[in-house]
Amino acid sequence: MSTLVVQGLRKSFGGVRAVSDVSFHVAPGEMLALIGPNGAGKSTCFNMVGGQLPPDAGTVLLEGRPITGLSPRAIAHRGVGRTFQITATFGSMTVRENVQMALLAHRREIWQFWRPVAGRHADKADALLDQVGLAAQADRATSVLAYGDLKRLELAIALGNGPRLLLMDEPTAGMAPAERVALMQLTRRLATERGMAVLFTEHDMDVVFDVSDRILVLNRGQLMAEGNGASIRANPAVREVYLGSGATSGGH
Amino acid sequence: MEIVIPQLLTGLAGASSLFLIASGLTIIFGVTRIVNFSHGSLMMLGAYIGWSILTRLPRDPEWFVLGVLAAALATAAIGVVLEITVLRRVYRAPELFQLLATFGVVLVLQDVTLWLWGAVELPLPRPRWLRGFVEIAGSRLPLYDLILIGIGPLVLGLLWLALHRTRWGTLVRAATLDRGMVAALGVDQRLLFTSVFALGAGLAGLGGALSLPNSSANLGIDLSVITDAFVVVVVGGLGSLTGAFVASLLIGVLQAFGIMLLPKITLVLVFLVMAVVLVFRPNGLLGRPQAEAREAALPAPVVRAAPRELRLLGLAVLLLAAAAPFLAGDYALSVLTDACVAILFAVSLHFMMGPGGMASFGHAAWFGIGAYAAGLLLHWLGTPMPFGLLAAPLAGGLFAALFGWFVVRLSGVYLSMLTLAFAQITWAISFQWVEVTAGDNGLLGVWPPEWARSPRVYYWLALGLAAGVALLLRRVLYAPYGYALRAARDSSPRAQSIGLDVPRLRMVALVIAGASCGLGGALFSYAKGGVFPTYISIAHSVEALLMVLLGGLQTMAGPIVGALIYTGLADLLVRSTDLWRLVLGAVIVVLVIAFPEGIAGAVRRLWLRGREA
């Protein structure tokens, strides 16, 4: 069964059809890239899956259960992790505490007023930090981390609730090219190991063709192509509207 | 009809005066992002300067106009001095510190005014031409009201022209939308900010001078006007000139009819309108959502338990405090009891404001609710103190929950303004519901029972409760709930995406803060033997802010340090000088400029210098 099934998703802003009739699915362990030119409706699509925007029509199923129009919080509790285009972490906490928060929230241990946080689920947090390569920085303040490390921290936080589906909105925006590939290969490995479905939007075609299993191309709110890297690269319509004629990969 | 039209016109005249103040406030906020607490003081200065000028001039209409304009210009000049000496140095500080600095200016200007013009109210003898009436629809209307009604739209028109037809105006509008971009284009920000502040101050001065024929120059103008002006600016939408105009019409007319129909609840009505507007339009009638500041505020430092040495120091201070009754006299003990109350007041505000991220301008509301809960129970039912001390936090928490239901969705300045509104409503009820609360006279005879009446025992009781609550709150902040609250403040989208219920977290923080503060209110009432509406005054709410900000938001010890320093400073000043407001205000301004992260924060930074990874 697919982890995520999206059917007939639709959203208008005023008179503008931002997304019309978009359907797709993501299988466990699969990485699906959502690409398209600016204004194609990627983020809108994404926010409807993540609960930030309610769709006008359509359904979103997570492992067969509808999550359409639920709040981001409810969706998180059903096993969806997410990272943001502009990193969002808890600046007044250490790196480890950031992950501890995710673990506490996942176990619904937030409404406790007495026992201190210090040390709770610290092993589990350190294990997650180790997986993303941040173990050495666990005690540092989040605010002093390099940007690439923040992105990896976000990934560790998102993994904190053991997600079946991971949503990544432009995960490599603002990173140096070498770091981009490293981060996405890390994600690739985690997806395979955990059988976690990953849906991500991305502008860097190197990254897209490198790590994704399948690619969806959106244009003006409509799904215009779907397939693996090779077929998307060969698709003349995609080349026309998205990559431009005679395009090569590697545009930033 | 014969009642409606004059009342409507009175309302419109009031609206014009409101607009003069609010327009300056909103333009200054739009460009500099400073909520200028001292705007009412500028109006007060305008009134006093206007009085000094007009009483020396011939009493003809043309001299009146010249005198009023001269007063406006003089106030504008004072505004320039203020901007250059104070505000310019705090533009980079967090917005609450800016507010604190401008409140320091309020205190300074109050004493300067008192010193220059004396405490007596100064009415302007009205020349004959100002006493004229005009007959409209069968009613006699004061000529001066009609003049005022015309001035509002006239000023709006002139401002509109200045903003849309001059290069300066274009820059002001651009800076309101995105001041980072304006700076990037190479515009001299200092000149722009100074000129905007001068304009705002001039408008306030104009409003002050023009208010003279209908009222007088008096020392109460500053705080009464600033509350009204805040309401107008918030209802209209911060930074929106047209919004301020529409809102001043709404509020002006509402006040005029309110006084006629429901004189007792006019103030409540005004603030209820503001609350309703904010619930449905969280950015005011014509306001836009505040753009994210590009020069992001300093990232909050990591909260770590205090170093061992500091904790030992804290323990030593607590032991010393417990031993104080053996070392100090009765007067010192009463000051120390006040300090314990101040600690409750400050730590409860810090709880919602620091980790909770919800700044309150009306924290005295919970204090007053607790005080009145205890006082009313004793007064009407004879309930003894132990039950009063239990009922006070319950009442504080309950009202905080009610109020929280509609504020937890707001943020930033709007949230602060709504807390101010709530405090003013509470104040108005305590002041005007005379049958129950005894109004201005207060509830008297609120004394502790025999066993707690000696200053020594009562001090120990206060110390035990204050230290207990402070330690309890600290414990909560290091528990998962406290972390989650902080997480919601640090990044609301991230908090939601890991499954945290942000509104509920904030709601519970409000209830905890309200309850702790309510306890402080009750404790204070039994110590003083009475409950008075002044417990809920704006000045009292600002005291809480002062303590927390002086101590610093980032450390748990901050509010306690702030409360102690503030209580000590205030006591020392009140005893040693008549000009204590002036000194206190100046100290506040200097502290804000010198320690933008608070005193405890600065000590901590020096302590940790070089130790943080």
Side-chain angles (χ1 to χ4, degrees), chain A residues 72-73 76-77 82-84 88-94 97 101-102 105 109-117 120 139 141 154 157, chain B residues 299-304 472 475-476 478-481 483-484 486-487 489-491 493-501 504-505 508:
Chain A
R73 186 171 68 84
H77 275 308
R82 106 160 262 180
T83 68
F84 292 86
T89 55
F90 305 131
S92 69
M93 299 180 195
T94 65
E97 285 169 345
M101 276 322 292
E109 294 173 353
I110 287 304
W111 295 96
Q112 298 179 3
F113 294 81
W114 191 251
R115 236 183 91 204
V117 167
R120 290 171 74 164
D139 281 317
E154 267 214 309
I157 296 173
Chain B
V302 169
V303 173
R304 298 177 197 269
L472 214 61
R475 181 91 197 186
V476 169
Y478 282 113
Y481 168 75
Y483 268 72
R486 201 140 54 79
R489 174 202 69 185
D490 283 355
S491 169
R494 168 49 72 204
Q496 288 175 14
S497 74
I498 62 169
L500 299 182
D501 189 341
R504 197 160 141 221
L505 286 166
V508 171

Side-chain angles (χ1 to χ4, degrees), chain B residues 451-528:
Chain B
W451 59 267
R453 206 161 283 187
S454 91
R456 201 178 261 203
V457 173
Y458 198 79
Y459 165 70
W460 271 323
L461 178 71
L463 179 69
L465 286 175
V469 169
L471 288 172
L472 214 61
L473 291 185
R474 178 181 181 280
R475 181 91 197 186
V476 169
L477 286 177
Y478 282 113
Y481 168 75
Y483 268 72
L485 183 64
R486 201 140 54 79
R489 174 202 69 185
D490 283 355
S491 169
S492 175
R494 168 49 72 204
Q496 288 175 14
S497 74
I498 62 169
L500 299 182
D501 189 341
V502 173
R504 197 160 141 221
L505 286 166
R506 300 176 81 192
M507 175 84 158
V508 171
L510 257 181
V511 171
I512 293 176
S516 319
C517 187
L519 178 65
L523 209 53
F524 191 67
S525 308
Y526 291 116
K528 300 296 162 195

Side-chain angles (χ1 to χ4, degrees), chain B residues 295-322:
Chain B
E295 59 264 52
L298 301 165
V302 169
V303 173
R304 298 177 197 269
R308 198 157 155 272
E309 296 88 333
L310 282 187
R311 273 189 282 176
L312 286 176
L313 182 70
L315 186 66
V317 171
L318 186 62
L319 288 176
L320 190 67

Side-chain angles (χ1 to χ4, degrees), chain A residues 27-32 155 166 168 180-198 200 207-214:
Chain A
E30 185 185 30
M31 286 187 77
L32 178 66
L155 186 56
L166 180 61
M168 304 177 90
R180 296 178 180 202
V181 174
L183 180 77
M184 292 316 284
Q185 277 171 351
L186 170 67
T187 312
R188 164 85 268 175
R189 209 183 65 227
L190 291 168
T192 313
E193 280 171 15
R194 296 167 165 251
M196 172 177 74
V198 178
F200 69 107
V207 170
V208 170
F209 290 126
D210 188 33
V211 300
S212 62
D213 297 304
R214 243 168 356 113

Side-chain angles (χ1 to χ4, degrees), chain B residues 22-337:
Chain B
S23 58
L25 193 63
T26 208
I27 293 178
I28 291 175
F29 176 83
V31 174
T32 64
R33 289 284 179 272
I34 283 189
V35 178
N36 181 22
F37 225 120
S38 63
H39 210 68
S41 311
L42 289 169
M43 172 173 175
M44 180 173 77
L45 283 178
Y48 276 99
I49 294 172
W51 183 88
S52 292
I53 295 177
L54 290 172
T55 46
R56 285 174 176 77
L57 290 180
R59 307 179 62 181
D60 307 310
E62 57 271 26
W63 286 106
F64 179 80
V65 173
L66 276 179
V68 166
L69 288 179
L73 280 179
T75 317
I78 295 171
V80 169
V81 174
L82 262 183
E83 202 274 342
I84 291 176
T85 51
V86 179
L87 293 172
R88 182 172 286 182
R89 291 163 216 283
V90 299
Y91 285 135
R92 298 209 160 270
E95 77 185 2
L96 279 165
F97 283 88
Q98 300 172 339
L99 196 93
L100 202 57
T102 58
F103 190 76
V105 173
V106 170
L107 292 176
V108 171
L109 290 184
Q110 211 161 54
D111 262 2
V112 169
T113 313
L114 175 68
W115 184 61
L116 286 175
W117 281 281
V120 184
E121 213 176 306
L122 302 174
L124 182 75
R126 288 216 253 179
R128 175 164 309 137
W129 67 272
L130 267 179
R131 275 175 283 177
F133 282 88
V134 177
E135 194 126 337
I136 293 181
S139 0
R140 274 152 54 88
L141 298 166
L143 172 68
Y144 191 67
D145 276 7
L146 293 180
I147 297 176
L148 279 182
I149 291 174
I151 285 177
L154 180 72
V155 169
L156 177 66
L158 288 176
L159 283 174
W160 192 88
L161 284 178
L163 288 175
H164 289 83
R165 292 283 179 270
T166 64
R167 182 183 143 75
W168 175 85
T170 310
L171 290 178
V172 169
R173 283 185 299 135
T176 306
L177 288 176
D178 188 337
R179 77 175 155 161
M181 185 50 83
V182 172
L185 292 175
V187 174
D188 183 351
Q189 292 226 327
R190 281 150 60 102
L191 199 61
L192 186 65
F193 284 17
T194 311
S195 59
V196 163
F197 202 82
L199 174 70
L203 286 169
L206 184 66
L210 284 175
S211 75
L212 282 173
N214 277 345
S215 60
S216 65
N218 63 71
L219 289 168
I221 293 179
D222 51 359
L223 285 181
S224 68
V225 158
I226 195 66
T227 333
D228 284 350
F230 276 161
V231 172
V232 168
V233 167
V234 164
V235 168
L238 284 164
S240 163
L241 197 60
T242 329
F245 187 72
V246 174
S248 45
L249 288 180
L250 179 71
I251 301 293
V253 171
L254 192 76
Q255 278 177 337
F257 282 101
I259 284 174
M260 184 177 74
L261 301 171
L262 307 154
K264 287 215 153 179
I265 64 161
T266 306
L267 194 58
V268 177
L269 210 60
V270 166
F271 283 101
L272 273 183
V273 166
M274 166 162 145
V276 170
V277 167
L278 285 188
V279 167
F280 289 102
R281 295 194 57 93
N283 292 301
L285 291 174
L286 297 175
R288 304 163 198 270
Q290 292 302 312
E292 291 283 321
R294 199 163 290 142
E295 59 264 52
L298 301 165
V302 169
V303 173
R304 298 177 197 269
R308 198 157 155 272
E309 296 88 333
L310 282 187
R311 273 189 282 176
L312 286 176
L313 182 70
L315 186 66
V317 171
L318 186 62
L319 288 176
L320 190 67
F326 304 110
L327 312 167
D330 277 0
Y331 178 77
L333 273 190
S334 87
V335 174
L336 284 175
T337 307

